[in-house]
Amino acid sequence: MIRSDSLRKAYHTLEAVRNVSFEVQDHEFIAILGPSGCGKSTLLRLIAGLEQPDSGTLQLHGKDISSPRHFLAPEHRRFGMVFQDFALFPHMSVAANVAYGVNGSRSEKQARVRELLELVGLPHLAEKMPHAISGGEQQRIAVARALAPRPQLILMDEPFSNLDYQLRVQLRRDIRRILKQEGVAAILVTHDQTEAITFSDRVFLMQSGTLVQTGNPEEVYRFPRTLWAAGFVGEANFLPVQKAGDQLETALGATPRISTGTPKTLMVRPEEIRLEPPDSAGVVGVVQDVEFSGPVKVLEVELPGEVLLSVHASPQSQWSVGDSLSVIAERTVMYDSEGRLLEAS
């Protein structure tokens, strides 16, 4: 559906997007994930046609829509936009906001508005004004308005960030279902890793204006290509690796050498560590802190050599500060001296 080839956009001396290439398929959900200032909103604006690239091209179904020489205006791209601040017209009713983007006769507009309000589950709010409905309801109406002209792609820039946690989770699920039901592709910009992973079919991970990794959510989480990616997408423990004959030594014990390179850092997720009684296999550590966070207990465990490890244990676990225990890594990932992925086991 969309193909980007070496897109670049700079503002004076700041290169916001650098040589970004990607493809988006019909009906696919993409999350552009990255920290503040990484260029993800600029990339979304380039796709929307709100910015023109300094170099590179953007194609829609094989035809150029953005390049330094050719530029298709945003209103001719058939893309819908959903913003962080909802951007509803305050002087129009809910129904009028949705009808704003609908083409056709009056009866066709009315039918489309009814259809969309039913789709987002808010037909009873048709005559309400935006200020009289909740933030979650406003965002549903913003989605309905974006869908009104039957776009082929919906672009969303941090659309859930102004909502409280529980509403954000529920609305994210609802909007994903609504967009899938309508059969449109979607691109979501977010700095929230959980949001990106749970919403998208594929994640585009950005750092300093570049795409550092693309893949389905499980690939990006389980096989991060760089140390930076491993630390940004989820929690991670990083341990130095040293050669010891035919073995590799870490604070978690020895492991066989690998054939793909020379590992310098081992990464292990807190939830991929098993804790056993101290007479079990594994390295013995001492619990330094226990924090109950609802779904898990977060333990800080000190290993030999004063190495601290974060571990996610069951909320029913009975470990206490000062307890000795055996620490067993169930899955690890190795990186070389440049922070590049070598092997996952």
Side-chain angles (χ1 to χ4, degrees), residues 55-134:
S55 61
T57 60
L58 190 72
Q59 293 184 332
L60 177 64
H61 295 300
K63 297 181 179 180
D64 284 358
I65 58 172
S66 281
S67 70
R69 295 182 180 181
H70 180 77
F71 187 74
L72 184 67
E75 60 269 24
H76 299 308
R77 298 190 179 199
R78 287 188 57 215
F79 296 166
M81 291 286 296
V82 179
F83 300 97
Q84 181 177 343
D85 59 359
F86 316 141
L88 298 178
F89 300 120
H91 62 290
M92 292 184 179
S93 69
V94 162
N97 265 279
V98 176
Y100 184 81
V102 181
N103 297 317
S105 65
R106 181 176 179 180
S107 61
E108 289 172 333
K109 285 187 176 184
Q110 290 174 340
R112 180 62 173 160
V113 169
R114 286 195 300 269
E115 175 188 355
L116 288 167
L117 290 180
E118 288 285 350
L119 183 66
V120 299
L122 299 174
H124 57 290
L125 298 182
E127 302 308 316
K128 293 279 189 179
M129 301 300 286
H131 71 269
I133 63 177
S134 70

Side-chain angles (χ1 to χ4, degrees), residues 10-26:
Y11 302 101
H12 303 293
T13 58
L14 174 64
E15 202 170 19
V17 171
R18 293 190 289 132
N19 297 322
V20 170
S21 300
F22 61 86
E23 293 181 355
V24 178
Q25 306 299 324
D26 289 325

Side-chain angles (χ1 to χ4, degrees), residues 100-320:
Y100 184 81
V102 181
N103 297 317
S105 65
R106 181 176 179 180
S107 61
E108 289 172 333
K109 285 187 176 184
Q110 290 174 340
R112 180 62 173 160
V113 169
R114 286 195 300 269
E115 175 188 355
L116 288 167
L117 290 180
E118 288 285 350
L119 183 66
V120 299
L122 299 174
H124 57 290
L125 298 182
E127 302 308 316
K128 293 279 189 179
M129 301 300 286
H131 71 269
I133 63 177
S134 70
E137 290 167 340
Q138 288 184 49
Q139 194 60 295
R140 288 172 188 263
I141 297 304
V143 170
R145 186 180 63 183
L147 289 170
R150 303 187 188 277
Q152 52 194 329
L153 174 67
I154 293 288
L155 305 173
M156 297 182 286
D157 192 0
E158 305 272 8
F160 312 116
S161 60
N162 285 339
L163 306 172
D164 63 60
Y165 176 76
Q166 290 294 343
L167 180 57
R168 192 163 68 241
V169 171
Q170 185 59 52
L171 193 60
R172 182 172 69 236
R173 292 172 180 163
D174 290 346
I175 288 179
R176 191 180 197 280
R177 173 186 54 79
I178 289 165
L179 296 179
K180 287 289 186 183
Q181 189 172 334
E182 278 289 287
V184 300
I187 298 178
L188 167 73
V189 161
T190 181
H191 64 272
D192 186 308
Q193 300 94 327
T194 301
E195 196 166 277
I197 288 171
T198 56
F199 181 86
S200 66
D201 301 316
R202 278 196 301 149
V203 176
F204 291 179
L205 182 59
M206 290 192 72
Q207 179 191 21
S208 302
T210 64
L211 279 181
V212 296
Q213 185 169 355
T214 66
N216 68 48
E218 184 174 353
E219 290 170 346
V220 173
Y221 183 80
R222 290 176 59 81
F223 303 97
R225 289 183 185 170
T226 66
L227 281 174
W228 176 85
F232 185 79
V233 184
E235 297 181 50
N237 295 289
F238 299 106
L239 305 176
V241 179
Q242 296 179 340
K243 294 180 184 178
D246 292 333
Q247 301 285 313
L248 297 171
E249 287 287 346
T250 75
L252 287 170
T255 185
R257 297 277 292 273
I258 63 175
S259 59
T260 54
T262 302
K264 291 294 183 182
T265 305
L266 177 146
M267 185 276 284
V268 58
R269 299 286 188 194
E271 71 273 13
E272 293 178 329
I273 299 170
R274 189 171 81 251
L275 302 178
E276 300 286 353
D279 55 354
S280 305
V283 175
V284 175
V286 178
V287 178
Q288 299 296 318
D289 188 42
V290 179
E291 180 183 272
F292 178 75
S293 64
V296 298
K297 279 185 179 176
V298 180
L299 276 63
E300 184 179 80
V301 179
E302 184 177 351
L303 303 178
E306 299 184 343
V307 175
L308 294 178
L309 204 65
S310 177
V311 182
H312 289 178
S314 164
Q316 286 81 37
S317 64
Q318 298 300 311
W319 302 109
S320 300

